[in-house]
Amino acid sequence: MPESWHGRRGTAVLLAHAVATQVITFVLRPTMSYRAIELDVPAAWLGVLGASFAIAPLVLAIPAGQAADRYGERRMAVGGAVLLTASSIAFLLFGHGIAGLVLACVLLGAGHLGCVIAQQAMVANTTERGGYDAAFGRYTFAASIGQVAGPVLITAFGGGRAIPDTGGIFLLACFLAVALVVLSVLLPGGSRTSSQAPDGEAGLRSLLRVPGVMRALVTSCVVLAAVDITLVYLPALGAERGLASGTVGLLLAVRGVASMGSRFFLGRLSRVVGRRRLLIASTTAAALAMVLVPLSWPLWILAALLLVLGFGLGVGQPLTMSWLAESAPPGLRGRAMSLRLVGNRTGQLLIPGAAGLVATGLGAAGVLWVTALGLGWAGVAARRLPIDP
């Protein structure tokens, strides 16, 4: 990592902060669903709980990005960690009814937003030009570790039972969140907006006028939606094909490990292949793999296809972060990351439903094929991105 990351200590603290943020989020979200099941909450309310997490990113992302630019990333990280602590306490104290669960989940979404915007803006503002691909590759790799570790922690609280000890998990999350506050305070002092940077809507308009920004945002949105669709519809496809749930879980693990591998080696891959060519090749390869996955294959070929799919999908997110960070002027990088997050959340809400409507009658295979078309289009659109260093 570049020396401009305030040395190895600053890098280690930031990556630990990314891991801890995702651990807390990915342990609380499934545990929230388990608590709702304990309370015999109607199935429709589970959807409300899931949507409540996305409310904060959609409503507050742009103001959060502006606050990170204006007041510095460390203050934003501290605020996000405090909100995650408040969310954990709310789950513990008020999570005995649907209203308390919704409140705690909204706080969780807001806290996660604050931490993620702060982390991404800090990477963008403290990395030297030419080092963004490696920096964001390692950052997203660290976040992936947290996303894997969070659900694994649930197994320590009765993972063999249908419903784990939700109260114990909420208490653990409180301690983890307090540790995250400490990590936030230890982060390197962040940058602040220069007086030359445009503010408010003027700043957003100047960002959107940068050539290729909209294409990068759409590519990021499509890739993330494809990840979500894979997580939801691969189990459905497996059920249609008669695959055991353990086999499907193994296939999803192959996809996840492949994504982590592509992110870990992203800097080297980008230098060897070129940023634009890497984004085009990875997105196109993922699209082709997704087209082939629904067909009847021996298990080893299916695993190989998931390996290609995971590798390709793992490249898109850090590369679009890197391009936005390099394109946005100083003082607007927090808002650039927040714009990307708004686009991602919008895609997560709209694209799966649209794919399902288009593929009505074709089952899980139809949804995957429609999503593959979207990935293929994103790969073609990436040819017009001016993103090679």
Side-chain angles (χ1 to χ4, degrees):
M1 304 290 266
E3 289 300 320
S4 58
W5 274 49
H6 299 266
R8 292 183 178 180
R9 175 182 170 276
T11 302
V13 173
L14 178 57
L15 296 182
H17 195 276
V19 172
T21 298
Q22 301 300 333
V23 167
I24 294 167
T25 303
F26 277 75
V27 79
L28 283 177
R29 291 189 70 187
T31 304
M32 169 192 70
S33 297
Y34 282 126
R35 172 58 65 87
I37 294 170
E38 276 185 313
L39 298 174
D40 293 322
V41 169
W45 277 99
L46 289 177
V48 173
L49 282 173
S52 64
F53 177 81
I55 289 174
L58 285 174
V59 175
L60 300 176
I62 300 300
Q66 185 171 337
D69 287 333
R70 177 174 297 227
Y71 302 111
E73 301 91 348
R74 181 166 59 188
R75 290 186 180 183
M76 177 58 63
V78 171
V82 169
L83 285 172
L84 283 179
T85 304
S87 170
S88 303
I89 293 172
F91 275 121
L92 185 65
L93 298 181
F94 308 120
H96 303 289
I98 187 63
L101 288 176
V102 170
L103 169 65
C105 193
V106 170
L107 289 172
L108 178 63
H112 180 263
L113 168 71
C115 289
V116 167
I117 290 291
Q119 292 158 8
Q120 294 179 8
M122 184 168 285
V123 177
N125 283 320
T126 58
T127 301
E128 295 175 355
R129 192 174 184 86
Y132 284 115
D133 294 344
F136 277 108
R138 289 194 176 98
Y139 165 71
T140 52
F141 176 80
S144 297
I145 292 175
Q147 291 168 7
V148 171
V152 170
L153 280 178
I154 295 176
T155 61
F157 291 83
R161 304 197 301 265
I163 298 178
D165 176 12
T166 54
I169 297 173
F170 290 150
L171 182 60
L172 170 67
C174 291
F175 287 107
L176 292 175
V178 171
L180 184 65
V181 173
V182 175
L183 282 173
S184 302
V185 174
L186 294 176
L187 284 169
S191 58
R192 300 186 187 184
T193 296
S194 72
S195 58
Q196 304 298 318
D199 208 353
E201 292 185 7
L204 293 177
R205 285 196 299 269
S206 68
L207 274 174
L208 293 173
R209 282 196 296 266
V210 175
V213 160
M214 288 303 299
R215 288 191 180 90
L217 293 175
V218 170
T219 299
S220 177
C221 164
V222 171
V223 169
L224 188 61
V227 172
D228 281 1
I229 286 172
T230 303
L231 293 175
V232 172
Y233 283 96
L234 189 63
L237 181 70
E240 293 175 6
R241 299 286 192 269
L243 295 177
S245 60
T247 300
V248 174
L250 179 62
L251 291 172
L252 287 173
V254 168
R255 185 209 64 79
V257 170
S259 291
M260 292 175 69
S262 67
R263 290 171 173 179
F264 187 79
F265 295 106
L266 185 63
R268 296 179 189 176
L269 288 170
S270 179
R271 286 192 297 272
V272 171
V273 178
R275 193 188 291 169
R276 180 195 289 113
R277 286 191 293 272
L278 179 58
L279 184 58
I280 294 169
S282 63
T283 307
T284 304
L288 291 174
M290 189 170 280
V291 167
L292 296 173
V293 161
L295 305 179
S296 296
W297 299 105
L299 185 59
W300 70 270
I301 294 182
L302 192 56
L305 290 172
L306 266 294
L307 188 72
V308 174
L309 179 63
F311 193 92
L313 293 178
V315 167
Q317 293 299 306
L319 271 190
T320 51
M321 285 185 200
S322 175
W323 186 85
L324 286 170
E326 203 163 81
S327 301
L332 290 177
R333 287 172 179 149
R335 271 162 282 189
M337 297 302 150
S338 66
L339 267 178
R340 178 185 162 278
L341 195 145
V342 168
N344 285 352
R345 290 292 182 266
T346 303
Q348 285 177 299
L349 289 175
L350 299 181
I351 292 177
L357 287 175
V358 172
T360 300
L362 297 177
V367 175
L368 292 173
W369 284 330
V370 171
T371 306
L373 286 176
L375 279 173
W377 172 85
V380 172
R383 296 175 63 185
R384 301 183 63 183
L385 282 173
I387 54 177
D388 275 328

